[in-house]
Amino acid sequence: MSQDQSMANAFVPGKAVLSPTDEALLKRRTRALGPAYRLFYEEPFHPVRGEGVWLYDQEGNAYLDAYNNVACVGHCHPRVVEAMAAQASLLTTHTRYLQNNIVDFAEDLLSSFPGELSQIMFTCTGSEANDLALRIAQVKTKGTGIIVTENAYHGVTLAAAAMSPSLGAGAPKNENIFKIPAPTGRKEVDEAEIFRANVEKALDEMAARGIRPAALFIDTIFSSDGIFSHPKGFLKPAVEAIRAAGGLFVADEVQPGFARTGEEMWGFARHGVVPDMVSMGKPMGNGYPVAALVIRPDVIADFGNQTRYFNTFGGNTTAIATATAVWSIIREEGLLQKTLQIGKAFRAELEGVAKGSDVICDIRGSGLFIGVQITGEDPRARTSRLVNGLKKKRILISASGPDGDVLKIRPPLVFDARALDFFMTGFDEVLKDI
Ligand code: PMP
Protein backbone atom coordinates (compact mmCIF):
# COMPACT_ATOMS: atom_id res chain seq x y z
CA MET A 1 0.00 0.00 0.00
CA SER A 2 1.44 3.39 -0.94
CA GLN A 3 1.63 6.09 1.67
CA ASP A 4 -1.35 7.89 0.17
CA GLN A 5 -3.48 4.81 0.05
CA SER A 6 -2.84 4.27 3.75
CA MET A 7 -5.22 7.17 4.47
CA ALA A 8 -8.70 6.76 3.07
CA ASN A 9 -9.87 9.84 1.20
CA ALA A 10 -6.42 11.36 0.74
CA PHE A 11 -5.91 13.79 -2.12
CA VAL A 12 -3.77 12.22 -4.85
CA PRO A 13 -1.81 14.84 -6.82
CA GLY A 14 -2.66 14.92 -10.50
CA LYS A 15 -6.04 13.18 -10.18
CA ALA A 16 -8.19 16.28 -10.44
CA VAL A 17 -7.97 19.58 -12.28
CA LEU A 18 -7.69 22.42 -9.78
CA SER A 19 -8.41 26.09 -10.35
CA PRO A 20 -5.22 27.97 -11.31
CA THR A 21 -5.15 29.77 -7.94
CA ASP A 22 -5.58 26.56 -5.92
CA GLU A 23 -2.99 24.82 -8.10
CA ALA A 24 -0.52 27.60 -7.34
CA LEU A 25 -1.33 27.49 -3.62
CA LEU A 26 -0.89 23.71 -3.59
CA LYS A 27 2.57 24.05 -5.13
CA ARG A 28 3.63 26.67 -2.57
CA ARG A 29 2.12 24.59 0.23
CA THR A 30 4.06 21.50 -0.79
CA ARG A 31 7.24 23.51 -1.10
CA ALA A 32 6.82 25.19 2.29
CA LEU A 33 5.20 22.45 4.37
CA GLY A 34 7.09 19.50 2.95
CA PRO A 35 5.98 15.97 2.11
CA ALA A 36 4.28 14.63 5.24
CA TYR A 37 0.94 16.45 5.06
CA ARG A 38 -2.13 15.03 3.33
CA LEU A 39 -5.15 16.86 1.96
CA PHE A 40 -8.65 15.45 1.79
CA TYR A 41 -10.69 14.87 -1.40
CA GLU A 42 -9.87 14.37 -5.07
CA GLU A 43 -10.38 18.08 -5.51
CA PRO A 44 -9.10 19.68 -2.28
CA PHE A 45 -11.47 21.90 -0.37
CA HIS A 46 -10.54 25.52 0.32
CA PRO A 47 -12.85 27.04 2.93
CA VAL A 48 -12.44 30.62 4.09
CA ARG A 49 -15.21 30.99 6.67
CA GLY A 50 -17.30 28.85 9.01
CA GLU A 51 -20.58 29.27 10.86
CA GLY A 52 -22.57 26.59 12.68
CA VAL A 53 -22.56 23.45 10.52
CA TRP A 54 -21.60 25.35 7.36
CA LEU A 55 -18.26 26.10 5.75
CA TYR A 56 -17.96 28.65 2.96
CA ASP A 57 -15.52 28.76 0.05
CA GLN A 58 -14.09 31.90 -1.53
CA GLU A 59 -17.09 32.29 -3.83
CA GLY A 60 -19.43 32.14 -0.84
CA ASN A 61 -20.74 28.64 -1.61
CA ALA A 62 -22.00 26.89 1.54
CA TYR A 63 -20.78 23.37 2.28
CA LEU A 64 -22.46 21.21 4.91
CA ASP A 65 -19.82 20.08 7.36
CA ALA A 66 -20.84 16.55 8.32
CA TYR A 67 -17.35 15.61 9.39
CA ASN A 68 -15.84 18.07 11.84
CA ASN A 69 -16.03 16.85 15.42
CA VAL A 70 -13.73 19.60 16.67
CA ALA A 71 -16.19 22.43 16.08
CA CYS A 72 -18.67 20.54 18.28
CA VAL A 73 -20.85 23.52 19.20
CA GLY A 74 -20.65 24.84 15.64
CA HIS A 75 -17.95 26.71 13.75
CA CYS A 76 -17.06 30.05 15.34
CA HIS A 77 -19.76 29.88 18.02
CA PRO A 78 -20.02 33.54 19.12
CA ARG A 79 -19.92 32.72 22.85
CA VAL A 80 -16.75 30.67 22.43
CA VAL A 81 -15.08 33.35 20.33
CA GLU A 82 -16.08 36.01 22.85
CA ALA A 83 -14.82 34.03 25.86
CA MET A 84 -11.53 33.31 24.10
CA ALA A 85 -11.01 36.93 23.01
CA ALA A 86 -12.03 38.39 26.39
CA GLN A 87 -9.57 36.21 28.30
CA ALA A 88 -6.81 36.71 25.72
CA SER A 89 -7.15 40.46 26.11
CA LEU A 90 -7.02 40.22 29.93
CA LEU A 91 -4.44 37.58 30.82
CA THR A 92 -2.94 34.42 29.39
CA THR A 93 -0.60 32.63 31.72
CA HIS A 94 0.24 29.18 32.97
CA THR A 95 -0.40 26.62 35.71
CA ARG A 96 2.45 27.79 37.95
CA TYR A 97 0.36 30.70 39.24
CA LEU A 98 -2.82 30.50 41.22
CA GLN A 99 -5.79 30.91 38.90
CA ASN A 100 -9.48 30.64 39.65
CA ASN A 101 -10.67 29.57 36.25
CA ILE A 102 -8.64 26.34 36.01
CA VAL A 103 -9.90 25.11 39.39
CA ASP A 104 -13.51 26.12 38.68
CA PHE A 105 -13.40 24.36 35.32
CA ALA A 106 -11.63 21.27 36.69
CA GLU A 107 -14.28 20.82 39.39
CA ASP A 108 -17.12 21.39 36.96
CA LEU A 109 -15.83 19.00 34.29
CA LEU A 110 -14.91 16.33 36.83
CA SER A 111 -18.50 16.37 38.12
CA SER A 112 -19.50 14.69 34.83
CA PHE A 113 -17.30 11.66 35.66
CA PRO A 114 -17.81 8.76 38.05
CA GLY A 115 -16.60 9.74 41.56
CA GLU A 116 -13.39 7.67 41.34
CA LEU A 117 -12.13 9.79 38.46
CA SER A 118 -11.52 12.90 40.51
CA GLN A 119 -8.35 14.53 39.21
CA ILE A 120 -7.48 16.20 35.92
CA MET A 121 -4.31 17.38 34.18
CA PHE A 122 -4.27 19.67 31.17
CA THR A 123 -2.41 19.34 27.90
CA CYS A 124 -2.65 21.03 24.50
CA THR A 125 -3.44 17.95 22.41
CA GLY A 126 -4.95 14.51 22.64
CA SER A 127 -1.55 13.07 21.76
CA GLU A 128 0.00 14.67 24.80
CA ALA A 129 -2.82 13.39 26.99
CA ASN A 130 -2.26 9.82 25.75
CA ASP A 131 1.50 10.17 26.09
CA LEU A 132 1.03 11.32 29.69
CA ALA A 133 -1.37 8.43 30.36
CA LEU A 134 1.28 6.03 29.13
CA ARG A 135 3.94 7.53 31.42
CA ILE A 136 1.59 7.37 34.41
CA ALA A 137 0.57 3.78 33.58
CA GLN A 138 4.21 2.71 33.41
CA VAL A 139 4.93 4.20 36.84
CA LYS A 140 1.79 2.77 38.43
CA THR A 141 2.10 -0.77 37.04
CA LYS A 142 5.90 -0.99 36.58
CA GLY A 143 4.95 -2.56 33.28
CA THR A 144 5.51 -1.45 29.69
CA GLY A 145 3.14 -3.59 27.60
CA ILE A 146 0.36 -1.75 25.77
CA ILE A 147 -2.62 -3.23 23.96
CA VAL A 148 -4.30 -1.30 21.14
CA THR A 149 -6.63 -2.25 18.31
CA GLU A 150 -5.29 -3.06 14.84
CA ASN A 151 -6.26 0.20 13.17
CA ALA A 152 -6.20 2.49 16.20
CA TYR A 153 -5.03 6.08 16.17
CA HIS A 154 -3.84 7.65 19.42
CA GLY A 155 -1.64 10.54 18.31
CA VAL A 156 1.58 12.06 17.04
CA THR A 157 4.22 11.86 19.79
CA LEU A 158 6.77 9.07 19.49
CA ALA A 159 4.91 6.99 22.07
CA ALA A 160 1.40 7.79 20.81
CA ALA A 161 2.34 7.20 17.17
CA ALA A 162 3.74 3.80 18.12
CA MET A 163 0.30 3.07 19.58
CA SER A 164 -1.30 4.07 16.25
CA PRO A 165 -1.21 1.15 13.80
CA SER A 166 -3.48 3.12 11.45
CA LEU A 167 -0.32 5.05 10.47
CA GLY A 168 0.69 1.88 8.65
CA ALA A 169 4.37 1.24 8.08
CA GLY A 170 5.05 4.78 9.29
CA ALA A 171 4.10 3.94 12.88
CA PRO A 172 7.32 3.89 14.97
CA LYS A 173 8.38 0.37 15.94
CA ASN A 174 7.91 -0.48 19.59
CA GLU A 175 8.12 -4.03 20.94
CA ASN A 176 5.86 -3.09 23.84
CA ILE A 177 2.83 -2.54 21.61
CA PHE A 178 0.47 -5.49 21.11
CA LYS A 179 -2.25 -5.20 18.50
CA ILE A 180 -5.64 -6.89 18.79
CA PRO A 181 -8.37 -7.10 16.16
CA ALA A 182 -11.04 -4.41 16.24
CA PRO A 183 -14.58 -5.53 17.10
CA THR A 184 -16.20 -7.61 14.37
CA GLY A 185 -19.36 -5.54 13.93
CA ARG A 186 -21.26 -8.81 13.41
CA LYS A 187 -24.55 -9.00 15.24
CA GLU A 188 -24.74 -12.79 15.44
CA VAL A 189 -21.50 -13.24 17.43
CA ASP A 190 -20.62 -12.57 21.06
CA GLU A 191 -18.61 -9.38 20.56
CA ALA A 192 -17.74 -9.04 24.26
CA GLU A 193 -16.38 -12.56 24.47
CA ILE A 194 -14.33 -12.24 21.27
CA PHE A 195 -12.85 -8.92 22.36
CA ARG A 196 -12.00 -10.28 25.82
CA ALA A 197 -10.36 -13.35 24.28
CA ASN A 198 -8.25 -11.11 22.03
CA VAL A 199 -7.05 -9.07 25.01
CA GLU A 200 -6.17 -12.28 26.87
CA LYS A 201 -4.28 -13.59 23.87
CA ALA A 202 -2.24 -10.37 23.75
CA LEU A 203 -1.59 -10.68 27.49
CA ASP A 204 -0.35 -14.24 26.97
CA GLU A 205 2.01 -13.06 24.20
CA MET A 206 3.28 -10.32 26.51
CA ALA A 207 3.93 -12.83 29.27
CA ALA A 208 5.72 -15.16 26.86
CA ARG A 209 8.05 -12.29 25.92
CA GLY A 210 8.64 -11.32 29.53
CA ILE A 211 6.79 -8.01 29.19
CA ARG A 212 4.63 -6.80 32.05
CA PRO A 213 1.32 -5.15 31.05
CA ALA A 214 0.85 -1.42 31.57
CA ALA A 215 -2.43 -0.60 29.85
CA LEU A 216 -5.19 -1.29 27.38
CA PHE A 217 -5.85 1.89 25.36
CA ILE A 218 -9.24 1.97 23.65
CA ASP A 219 -10.96 4.67 21.61
CA THR A 220 -14.41 3.76 22.91
CA ILE A 221 -16.16 4.36 19.55
CA PHE A 222 -13.32 2.83 17.44
CA SER A 223 -13.19 5.88 15.17
CA SER A 224 -10.40 4.73 12.88
CA ASP A 225 -11.09 0.98 13.14
CA GLY A 226 -14.43 1.48 11.37
CA ILE A 227 -16.81 2.74 14.12
CA PHE A 228 -18.06 -0.03 16.41
CA SER A 229 -20.66 1.08 18.90
CA HIS A 230 -22.74 -1.98 19.75
CA PRO A 231 -23.69 -3.97 21.68
CA LYS A 232 -23.36 -1.52 24.53
CA GLY A 233 -21.23 -2.97 27.31
CA PHE A 234 -19.09 -5.20 25.10
CA LEU A 235 -15.86 -3.67 26.46
CA LYS A 236 -16.50 -4.76 30.03
CA PRO A 237 -14.94 -8.26 30.03
CA ALA A 238 -11.85 -6.95 28.20
CA VAL A 239 -11.40 -4.26 30.86
CA GLU A 240 -11.70 -6.93 33.55
CA ALA A 241 -9.06 -8.99 31.75
CA ILE A 242 -6.45 -6.21 31.60
CA ARG A 243 -7.04 -5.40 35.28
CA ALA A 244 -6.76 -9.05 36.32
CA ALA A 245 -3.31 -9.04 34.69
CA GLY A 246 -2.25 -5.93 36.62
CA GLY A 247 -2.71 -3.43 33.78
CA LEU A 248 -4.83 -0.30 33.55
CA PHE A 249 -7.65 0.69 31.23
CA VAL A 250 -7.28 4.03 29.45
CA ALA A 251 -10.36 5.30 27.62
CA ASP A 252 -9.35 7.52 24.71
CA GLU A 253 -12.32 9.89 24.55
CA VAL A 254 -10.71 12.30 22.10
CA GLN A 255 -13.41 11.36 19.56
CA PRO A 256 -16.36 9.87 21.50
CA GLY A 257 -16.25 12.33 24.42
CA PHE A 258 -18.18 15.56 24.98
CA ALA A 259 -21.66 14.24 24.11
CA ARG A 260 -20.72 12.88 20.67
CA THR A 261 -22.50 9.54 21.17
CA GLY A 262 -25.70 11.23 22.37
CA GLU A 263 -26.33 8.57 24.99
CA GLU A 264 -23.68 9.53 27.52
CA MET A 265 -21.29 12.46 27.89
CA TRP A 266 -18.39 9.97 27.70
CA GLY A 267 -18.14 6.93 25.44
CA PHE A 268 -16.88 4.59 28.15
CA ALA A 269 -20.13 5.10 30.10
CA ARG A 270 -22.02 3.30 27.29
CA HIS A 271 -19.98 0.25 28.19
CA GLY A 272 -20.68 0.36 31.93
CA VAL A 273 -16.98 0.61 32.82
CA VAL A 274 -15.00 3.11 34.88
CA PRO A 275 -11.56 3.65 33.32
CA ASP A 276 -8.36 4.28 35.28
CA MET A 277 -7.63 7.25 33.04
CA VAL A 278 -9.55 9.14 30.37
CA SER A 279 -7.91 11.22 27.65
CA MET A 280 -9.83 13.93 25.79
CA GLY A 281 -9.17 16.75 23.38
CA LYS A 282 -10.51 17.69 19.94
CA PRO A 283 -13.97 19.17 20.73
CA MET A 284 -12.91 20.47 24.14
CA GLY A 285 -11.97 23.93 22.85
CA ASN A 286 -14.12 23.95 19.69
CA GLY A 287 -10.85 24.53 17.76
CA TYR A 288 -8.64 26.08 20.42
CA PRO A 289 -5.90 23.58 21.37
CA VAL A 290 -6.92 22.30 24.78
CA ALA A 291 -6.94 18.70 25.96
CA ALA A 292 -6.81 16.79 29.23
CA LEU A 293 -6.34 13.58 31.12
CA VAL A 294 -8.75 12.59 33.90
CA ILE A 295 -7.25 10.22 36.44
CA ARG A 296 -7.99 8.23 39.57
CA PRO A 297 -5.93 9.70 42.47
CA ASP A 298 -4.43 6.32 43.39
CA VAL A 299 -3.25 5.91 39.77
CA ILE A 300 -1.42 9.25 39.63
CA ALA A 301 -0.03 9.25 43.21
CA ASP A 302 3.35 7.59 42.52
CA PHE A 303 3.91 9.58 39.33
CA GLY A 304 3.22 12.85 41.20
CA ASN A 305 5.65 11.92 43.95
CA GLN A 306 8.40 11.01 41.52
CA THR A 307 8.20 13.85 39.09
CA ARG A 308 6.72 17.26 38.39
CA TYR A 309 4.48 18.09 35.48
CA PHE A 310 4.50 21.40 33.66
CA ASN A 311 3.08 21.95 30.21
CA THR A 312 3.79 25.55 29.12
CA PHE A 313 0.55 26.03 27.19
CA GLY A 314 -1.54 23.17 28.61
CA GLY A 315 -4.25 24.61 30.84
CA ASN A 316 -3.32 28.22 30.09
CA THR A 317 -5.87 30.84 31.13
CA THR A 318 -7.25 31.40 27.64
CA ALA A 319 -7.44 27.66 26.91
CA ILE A 320 -9.47 27.18 30.07
CA ALA A 321 -11.75 30.16 29.38
CA THR A 322 -12.45 28.72 25.93
CA ALA A 323 -13.05 25.19 27.22
CA THR A 324 -15.33 26.59 29.94
CA ALA A 325 -17.47 28.29 27.30
CA VAL A 326 -17.68 25.11 25.19
CA TRP A 327 -18.60 23.01 28.22
CA SER A 328 -21.33 25.49 29.24
CA ILE A 329 -22.80 25.54 25.74
CA ILE A 330 -22.89 21.74 25.51
CA ARG A 331 -25.04 21.66 28.62
CA GLU A 332 -27.07 24.84 28.22
CA GLU A 333 -28.01 24.06 24.62
CA GLY A 334 -28.92 20.48 25.63
CA LEU A 335 -26.55 19.05 23.04
CA LEU A 336 -26.43 15.58 24.57
CA GLN A 337 -30.18 15.14 24.19
CA LYS A 338 -30.27 16.84 20.78
CA THR A 339 -27.42 14.66 19.54
CA LEU A 340 -29.27 11.55 20.61
CA GLN A 341 -32.44 12.61 18.78
CA ILE A 342 -30.93 13.86 15.55
CA GLY A 343 -28.52 10.91 15.50
CA LYS A 344 -31.45 8.49 15.70
CA ALA A 345 -33.29 10.33 12.94
CA PHE A 346 -30.11 10.33 10.83
CA ARG A 347 -29.58 6.57 11.14
CA ALA A 348 -33.27 5.91 10.46
CA GLU A 349 -33.03 7.91 7.22
CA LEU A 350 -29.87 6.07 6.21
CA GLU A 351 -31.44 2.71 7.01
CA GLY A 352 -34.39 3.62 4.79
CA VAL A 353 -32.03 4.34 1.91
CA ALA A 354 -29.93 1.23 2.62
CA LYS A 355 -32.96 -1.05 2.28
CA GLY A 356 -33.29 -0.47 -1.41
CA SER A 357 -29.57 -0.41 -2.11
CA ASP A 358 -26.85 -2.97 -2.76
CA VAL A 359 -24.19 -0.44 -1.79
CA ILE A 360 -24.72 -0.31 1.99
CA CYS A 361 -24.60 -3.44 4.14
CA ASP A 362 -24.46 -2.01 7.67
CA ILE A 363 -25.07 1.20 9.56
CA ARG A 364 -23.35 1.57 12.91
CA GLY A 365 -22.84 4.27 15.47
CA SER A 366 -24.40 6.24 18.25
CA GLY A 367 -25.53 9.85 18.40
CA LEU A 368 -23.71 11.86 15.76
CA PHE A 369 -20.92 9.37 15.15
CA ILE A 370 -22.16 7.24 12.26
CA GLY A 371 -20.38 4.57 10.26
CA VAL A 372 -21.88 3.33 6.97
CA GLN A 373 -20.36 0.07 5.77
CA ILE A 374 -20.02 -0.02 1.99
CA THR A 375 -20.14 -3.32 0.13
CA GLY A 376 -19.70 -4.62 -3.44
CA GLU A 377 -16.79 -5.66 -5.62
CA ASP A 378 -14.43 -2.84 -4.68
CA PRO A 379 -15.87 -1.22 -1.54
CA ARG A 380 -12.87 1.06 -1.07
CA ALA A 381 -13.27 2.57 -4.53
CA ARG A 382 -17.03 2.88 -4.00
CA THR A 383 -16.48 4.62 -0.67
CA SER A 384 -14.10 7.04 -2.32
CA ARG A 385 -16.63 7.75 -5.10
CA LEU A 386 -19.32 8.40 -2.48
CA VAL A 387 -17.13 10.72 -0.40
CA ASN A 388 -16.01 12.67 -3.47
CA GLY A 389 -19.51 12.62 -4.97
CA LEU A 390 -20.89 14.13 -1.78
CA LYS A 391 -18.18 16.77 -1.85
CA LYS A 392 -19.44 17.78 -5.33
CA LYS A 393 -22.89 18.16 -3.73
CA ARG A 394 -21.23 20.38 -1.12
CA ILE A 395 -21.42 17.85 1.68
CA LEU A 396 -18.27 16.99 3.62
CA ILE A 397 -17.63 13.56 5.13
CA SER A 398 -14.72 11.11 5.04
CA ALA A 399 -13.91 7.40 5.29
CA SER A 400 -12.72 5.06 8.04
CA GLY A 401 -11.59 1.50 8.67
CA PRO A 402 -8.45 -0.44 7.71
CA ASP A 403 -9.90 -1.01 4.24
CA GLY A 404 -11.24 2.53 3.82
CA ASP A 405 -14.73 1.12 3.17
CA VAL A 406 -16.77 2.85 5.87
CA LEU A 407 -18.32 6.28 5.46
CA LYS A 408 -17.43 8.32 8.53
CA ILE A 409 -20.16 10.83 9.36
CA ARG A 410 -19.44 13.00 12.37
CA PRO A 411 -20.87 16.52 12.10
CA PRO A 412 -20.80 19.32 14.66
CA LEU A 413 -23.33 18.52 17.41
CA VAL A 414 -25.51 21.46 16.34
CA PHE A 415 -26.48 19.47 13.22
CA ASP A 416 -30.24 20.02 12.87
CA ALA A 417 -33.22 18.82 10.83
CA ARG A 418 -32.45 21.23 7.98
CA ALA A 419 -28.89 19.94 7.80
CA LEU A 420 -30.15 16.37 7.80
CA ASP A 421 -32.50 17.16 4.96
CA PHE A 422 -29.71 18.72 2.92
CA PHE A 423 -27.50 15.70 3.62
CA MET A 424 -30.11 13.09 2.64
CA THR A 425 -31.05 14.90 -0.58
CA GLY A 426 -27.41 14.91 -1.67
CA PHE A 427 -26.80 11.38 -0.43
CA ASP A 428 -29.78 9.95 -2.38
CA GLU A 429 -28.51 11.54 -5.58
CA VAL A 430 -24.92 10.38 -5.15
CA LEU A 431 -26.02 6.86 -4.24
CA LYS A 432 -28.05 6.58 -7.48
CA ASP A 433 -24.95 7.37 -9.56
CA ILE A 434 -22.60 5.03 -7.81
N1 PMP B 1 -6.86 9.85 19.95
C1 PMP B 1 -7.81 9.80 19.01
C2 PMP B 1 -8.87 8.74 19.09
C3 PMP B 1 -7.81 10.72 17.97
O1 PMP B 1 -8.74 10.67 17.03
C4 PMP B 1 -6.80 11.72 17.93
C5 PMP B 1 -6.77 12.77 16.83
N2 PMP B 1 -7.31 12.41 15.63
C6 PMP B 1 -5.84 11.72 18.93
C7 PMP B 1 -5.90 10.80 19.93
C8 PMP B 1 -4.73 12.75 18.93
O2 PMP B 1 -5.22 14.00 19.20
P1 PMP B 1 -4.40 15.30 18.72
O3 PMP B 1 -4.46 15.36 17.23
O4 PMP B 1 -5.12 16.42 19.41
O5 PMP B 1 -3.01 15.15 19.22
Side-chain angles (χ1 to χ4, degrees):
M1 192 177 270
S2 82
Q3 55 176 8
D4 284 310
Q5 282 172 321
S6 74
M7 190 182 93
N9 188 30
F11 164 70
V12 182
K15 239 183 145 181
V17 180
L18 275 60
S19 73
T21 47
D22 276 354
E23 189 67 53
L25 180 62
L26 181 64
K27 276 208 183 87
R28 281 175 50 218
R29 178 187 145 105
T30 309
R31 208 179 305 132
L33 306 189
Y37 284 94
R38 303 287 182 273
L39 286 162
F40 273 163
Y41 305 114
E42 260 169 37
E43 187 191 358
F45 181 46
H46 183 164
V48 294
R49 187 170 74 81
E51 190 182 339
V53 291
W54 302 95
L55 288 172
Y56 298 85
D57 67 12
Q58 278 164 320
E59 280 83 47
N61 297 310
Y63 284 71
L64 177 65
D65 185 352
Y67 187 65
N68 195 322
N69 58 344
V70 173
C72 64
V73 298
H75 289 278
C76 308
H77 193 296
R79 266 182 69 192
V80 178
V81 175
E82 201 185 297
M84 188 191 302
Q87 187 61 52
S89 63
L90 189 67
L91 173 73
T92 301
T93 186
H94 53 72
T95 50
R96 278 181 164 150
Y97 298 136
L98 276 173
Q99 306 271 306
N100 281 321
N101 82 346
I102 193 168
V103 180
D104 291 343
F105 178 61
E107 289 172 349
D108 198 15
L109 189 67
L110 285 168
S111 70
S112 70
F113 284 85
E116 301 93 307
L117 287 159
S118 61
Q119 292 183 331
I120 183 165
M121 294 169 77
F122 293 96
T123 62
C124 304
T125 66
S127 304
E128 285 179 355
N130 283 330
D131 194 284
L132 179 61
L134 177 56
R135 288 177 62 197
I136 294 169
Q138 288 184 348
V139 172
K140 171 71 181 165
T141 62
K142 301 187 178 61
T144 53
I146 299 292
I147 302 174
V148 296
T149 49
E150 264 168 6
N151 207 51
Y153 182 77
H154 294 292
V156 294
T157 67
L158 183 61
M163 301 194 308
S164 301
S166 63
L167 293 173
K173 300 279 166 288
N174 184 330
E175 59 178 23
N176 291 296
I177 308 299
F178 292 78
K179 292 182 275 183
I180 59 167
T184 68
R186 288 162 56 202
K187 292 175 184 79
E188 68 280 14
V189 301
D190 186 343
E191 196 79 273
E193 181 49 28
I194 294 172
F195 204 67
R196 181 199 60 79
N198 285 328
V199 168
E200 289 202 330
K201 197 166 155 233
L203 288 166
D204 288 345
E205 283 166 28
M206 252 185 231
R209 286 178 30 204
I211 294 175
R212 200 165 160 164
L216 167 68
F217 274 75
I218 296 291
D219 163 351
T220 59
I221 194 80
F222 298 89
S223 318
S224 51
D225 279 298
I227 303 150
F228 298 100
S229 48
H230 288 82
K232 282 199 256 183
F234 79 78
L235 284 180
K236 207 168 181 195
V239 172
E240 286 161 4
I242 185 74
R243 287 197 173 131
L248 303 177
F249 169 52
V250 182
D252 182 335
E253 294 285 335
V254 169
Q255 299 237 17
F258 288 99
R260 171 61 47 188
T261 66
E263 293 169 353
E264 300 280 354
M265 194 56 81
W266 307 105
F268 65 78
R270 299 182 61 252
H271 287 279
V273 290
V274 178
D276 298 291
M277 291 185 266
V278 180
S279 58
M280 65 194 70
K282 277 183 184 282
M284 191 169 176
N286 210 50
Y288 191 100
V290 52
L293 185 69
V294 167
I295 321 150
R296 287 209 334 251
D298 61 301
V299 169
I300 179 76
D302 291 346
F303 181 89
N305 288 332
Q306 285 175 19
T307 190
R308 64 172 188 273
Y309 178 79
F310 176 60
N311 184 323
T312 304
F313 303 119
N316 80 65
T317 339
T318 299
I320 297 297
T322 309
T324 301
V326 175
W327 183 231
S328 304
I329 294 164
I330 289 176
R331 288 170 304 162
E332 285 165 27
E333 293 189 5
L335 291 184
L336 184 63
Q337 192 56 28
K338 281 187 184 157
T339 297
L340 183 68
Q341 280 162 5
I342 194 80
K344 266 191 194 148
F346 205 152
R347 279 192 305 286
E349 293 266 1
L350 288 168
E351 267 149 24
V353 172
K355 263 190 204 129
S357 138
D358 59 358
V359 179
I360 298 168
C361 64
D362 194 19
I363 292 161
R364 301 187 285 268
S366 179
L368 282 172
F369 207 137
I370 301 174
V372 179
Q373 182 73 53
I374 303 304
T375 182
E377 242 178 49
D378 187 349
R380 188 184 177 95
R382 254 188 173 174
T383 303
S384 171
R385 285 201 300 277
L386 281 165
V387 169
N388 285 293
L390 283 168
K391 155 83 173 21
K392 288 202 175 85
K393 302 276 177 202
R394 299 187 181 148
I395 296 168
L396 305 170
I397 64 160
S398 191
S400 171
D403 301 320
D405 57 357
V406 181
L407 300 180
K408 179 156 62 165
I409 306 172
R410 204 188 48 179
L413 303 181
V414 289
F415 196 84
D416 57 9
R418 181 181 152 234
L420 180 55
D421 217 45
F422 187 90
F423 184 99
M424 291 313 302
T425 306
F427 192 68
D428 272 340
E429 288 167 13
V430 173
L431 208 59
K432 276 190 201 110
D433 289 348
I434 210 73

